[in-house]
Amino acid sequence: MLNIIPFYTTHKYKNIFIWFYFILFYIPNFIDTIHIFLFSGEIDYLSVKAVFNTNIKETTEFFSNFLNLKLIIFILSEIIVSIILLVHSLKSKIYKKFPKLILLFYILGMVLANCIYYKYKPTLSRIIEFYINYYNEKLFNEKCFRERKGFSYGEIRSLISEKYPQTYVVVIGESATRVHMSLYGYSRKTNPYLNKIKENLYLFDKVSSAHCSTLAVLKEALTFDKFSNGDIISFLKQAGFKTFWLSIQVNSGRFDNEIAIIANQADYCLFITQRYFSSFNGYCFDELLFEPFKKALNDPAYKKVIFLHLLGSHSTYVNRYPKNFELFHDNSNIIRKTISEYDNSIVYTDYILYKFIDMLNKKNENSCLLYFSDHGEDVRDTQDCIFFHSDTLASPMMFSIPFIIWLSENYKKTNAKFISKWNLHKVYKTNTLIHSIMILFRLANKNIKVENSIFEESI
């Protein structure tokens, strides 16, 4: 806002300069200011990348969580005052009293001040740089996708007898913190369905995500050290498994991010939403995965792995579950209302997981199901924290995720010694999750490191 005031001192070409400055400096800086206001940090690469990996509906839902009187007043005051100053400066005649030399020093001074304030790079310059990095990353992803066809991981051995068909399931949750799960001690009964089979579940209670954004977490969790070293789908295909990727998350593009690359390598890949929330009166619910999951389970392949990517508790929470799952109602204030909506979304995810396990259990195969969330969520569990997950506003709840394993009877019999060594209280981060998944699937390879897994040993 204050940047516009000195426009009164400019030369006869001031109108061109004012618009030039307004578009190249003021608007980007204004956006950056809002970003700082919301997330306590300047626009960074992850913010720019997130914009290119979402859609309007998801973005609208996301920012609706931050809409409050304080933010509205801040934005309106900035816009109104800036427009008044801009219009008045364009009409001003004061510039005649100032020589060209002052104009020159003013322009250089303003550019220099912006560069220094924004770490030697004005906001627009940083955004352009981030976009170039994003574009180059897409090209690199596409290159990796092509190279995966000839990629060799070396010998991959199975540590169990293949007497029974093998079906393994990995369920990736969204924004679920174990702090709000009754299975982990939460006061509200948010796990009424899984609680029925609790004795058949293995609840690891000290697992955390390495980041607070889906892309950053899964990029590390599903690859070997770094993306160019290989990923979970191409590895499993080379190990002889038929792979399925069933997602209700947004599919922004085949090469837009590493998750898209990994998913599109699967033998069968399905993104139900296809970029738009088009069902259930504008919202997709995770139960849409039931039918494609059944089809995948009934596929004749002797060895298969099914990945299920949920919407889970993605904000806005009230849009993540059908009306009949509104178990909790507390409209006493906006905070309590939002917490209730979040808890209801956890209940719905609980139901979804219970149904997945029930369908898998009926196959009577050597099978297991792993559920973990990409990251957690702070639903005012920390004082003054907004309803969100953000690396710049990080709190323990944003990293505290559920990590649940269900095993079939055949799996338990075949791997009794391996299971007996599990430590459910082991401190673990999901940035090396691929090693844990491969060991859980009883695979051995030079790339799989036991020390990087949540399990004590591989045999």
Side-chain angles (χ1 to χ4, degrees):
M1 185 188 301
L2 294 176
N3 283 337
I4 295 178
I5 296 176
F7 286 162
Y8 294 100
T9 66
T10 57
H11 186 253
K12 63 181 179 179
Y13 298 113
K14 69 167 188 172
N15 286 12
I16 297 175
F17 170 70
I18 288 174
W19 283 114
F20 176 83
Y21 184 88
F22 192 76
I23 293 172
L24 266 63
F25 285 97
Y26 179 75
I27 293 178
N29 290 353
F30 177 56
I31 296 173
D32 209 17
T33 302
I34 295 176
H35 194 278
I36 294 171
F37 184 90
L38 290 175
F39 311 121
S40 300
E42 299 172 0
I43 293 173
D44 56 18
Y45 177 62
L46 286 177
S47 301
V48 174
K49 189 173 181 179
V51 171
F52 291 103
N53 285 275
T54 187
N55 57 40
I56 295 175
K57 179 65 178 177
E58 189 177 35
T59 302
T60 302
E61 282 193 2
F62 182 77
F63 281 103
S64 66
N65 292 287
F66 308 106
L67 198 60
N68 54 49
L69 184 60
K70 185 178 179 181
L71 179 61
I72 292 173
I73 292 174
F74 170 75
I75 293 176
L76 288 179
S77 62
E78 280 280 336
I79 292 175
I80 293 172
V81 175
S82 297
I83 290 176
I84 292 173
L85 288 174
L86 177 64
V87 172
H88 192 256
S89 64
L90 289 171
K91 295 179 179 180
S92 173
K93 303 292 184 180
I94 303 178
Y95 70 87
K96 293 180 179 179
K97 297 180 180 180
F98 297 89
K100 295 179 181 180
L101 187 60
I102 292 180
L103 168 64
L104 177 62
F105 280 112
Y106 167 68
I107 294 175
L108 293 176
M110 290 302 293
V111 172
L112 181 61
N114 275 275
C115 290
I116 294 175
Y117 182 75
Y118 290 95
K119 299 179 180 178
Y120 308 105
K121 289 183 180 179
T123 304
L124 183 62
S125 174
R126 288 187 291 117
I127 292 176
I128 293 173
E129 180 184 337
F130 293 150
Y131 176 77
I132 292 173
N133 291 341
Y134 169 74
Y135 181 77
N136 289 334
E137 190 175 86
K138 279 186 65 174
L139 295 178
F140 176 75
N141 290 341
E142 189 172 354
K143 176 175 177 288
C144 287
F145 182 81
R146 292 194 302 267
E147 292 176 348
R148 285 292 192 268
K149 296 177 181 178
F151 203 87
S152 176
Y153 293 94
E155 182 188 6
I156 303 174
R157 297 180 293 110
S158 176
L159 299 176
I160 60 173
S161 168
E162 298 188 0
K163 179 181 178 181
Y164 296 100
Q166 298 176 54
T167 300
Y168 303 131
V169 179
V170 177
V171 183
I172 304 170
E174 170 67 55
S175 304
T177 175
R178 65 173 180 267
V179 176
H180 281 254
M181 299 181 72
S182 55
L183 284 174
Y184 287 94
Y186 185 52
S187 57
R188 280 178 164 177
K189 294 182 179 180
T190 52
N191 298 113
Y193 297 94
L194 290 182
N195 191 61
K196 299 175 184 178
I197 57 172
K198 186 176 181 179
E199 66 277 6
N200 295 321
L201 302 176
Y202 296 83
L203 307 174
F204 292 79
D205 58 12
K206 286 185 171 58
V207 178
S208 61
S209 60
H211 305 279
C212 292
S213 65
T214 302
L215 292 178
V217 169
L218 297 186
K219 177 181 178 180
E220 294 182 352
L222 304 182
T223 60
F224 286 107
D225 186 30
K226 55 184 179 180
F227 190 66
S228 58
N229 287 349
D231 64 85
I232 196 165
I233 293 291
S234 62
F235 185 91
L236 289 169
K237 289 175 70 174
Q238 202 167 123
F241 287 87
K242 185 170 184 178
T243 54
F244 300 79
W245 188 282
L246 310 175
S247 175
I248 200 164
Q249 290 261 348
V250 170
N251 177 25
S252 53
R254 197 177 186 188
F255 304 114
D256 277 14
N257 58 67
E258 294 79 7
I259 310 309
I261 292 284
I262 294 171
N264 280 286
Q265 291 179 93
D267 296 300
Y268 181 78
C269 180
L270 173 65
F271 285 89
I272 291 177
T273 56
Q274 293 299 320
R275 291 183 63 90
Y276 298 99
F277 297 96
S278 57
S279 303
F280 295 96
N281 297 319
Y283 304 106
C284 285
F285 298 137
D286 288 331
E287 61 195 64
L288 287 177
L289 290 169
F290 286 163
E291 280 304 312
F293 180 58
K294 286 180 183 177
K295 291 181 181 179
L297 286 177
N298 292 327
D299 187 274
Y302 197 76
K303 296 168 59 179
K304 52 183 176 284
V305 179
I306 306 169
F307 291 86
L308 299 160
H309 198 180
L310 310 180
L311 267 178
S313 298
H314 191 292
S315 60
T316 303
Y317 313 134
V318 71
N319 297 331
R320 298 286 81 83
Y321 55 87
K323 287 292 183 182
N324 56 311
F325 280 86
E326 284 188 358
L327 269 65
F328 307 108
H329 306 270
D330 189 344
N331 297 326
S332 57
N333 58 58
I334 187 63
I335 295 177
R336 297 308 307 172
K337 182 177 182 292
T338 305
I339 291 174
S340 291
E341 292 170 351
Y342 181 80
D343 289 347
N344 288 332
S345 73
I346 296 294
V347 173
Y348 182 61
T349 297
D350 183 68
Y351 163 75
I352 296 295
L353 292 173
Y354 180 79
K355 294 292 289 185
F356 286 152
I357 291 173
D358 183 57
M359 287 186 273
L360 182 59
N361 189 36
K362 290 176 180 176
K363 297 299 292 182
N364 191 31
E365 297 178 344
N366 194 336
S367 58
C368 68
L369 180 145
L370 164 64
Y371 165 70
F372 73 98
S373 183
D374 52 359
H375 49 75
E377 192 92 340
D378 196 319
V379 195
R380 283 293 172 91
D381 298 294
T382 304
Q383 188 176 7
D384 297 327
C385 182
I386 57 178
F387 308 115
F388 187 54
H389 49 270
S390 167
D391 286 316
T392 57
L393 297 171
S395 72
M397 289 71 183
M398 297 180 190
F399 299 95
S400 302
I401 61 171
F403 195 93
I404 302 171
I405 296 176
W406 173 88
L407 307 173
S408 69
E409 292 304 315
N410 286 330
Y411 186 101
K412 291 178 183 177
K413 292 176 183 177
T414 308
N415 303 281
K417 183 181 178 182
F418 167 60
I419 299 168
S420 67
K421 300 290 185 179
W422 290 5
N423 176 10
L424 302 182
H425 308 298
K426 183 175 181 178
V427 177
Y428 183 70
K429 280 190 177 182
T430 57
N431 58 316
T432 58
L433 182 61
I434 191 170
H435 301 273
S436 298
I437 293 176
M438 296 310 172
I439 292 174
L440 181 64
F441 294 171
R442 313 310 292 123
L443 298 175
N445 174 264
K446 64 180 181 180
N447 294 286
I448 302 172
K449 310 296 182 184
V450 178
E451 60 272 21
N452 289 337
S453 84
I454 197 170
F455 306 111
E456 297 298 311
E457 56 183 64
S458 60
I459 58 173

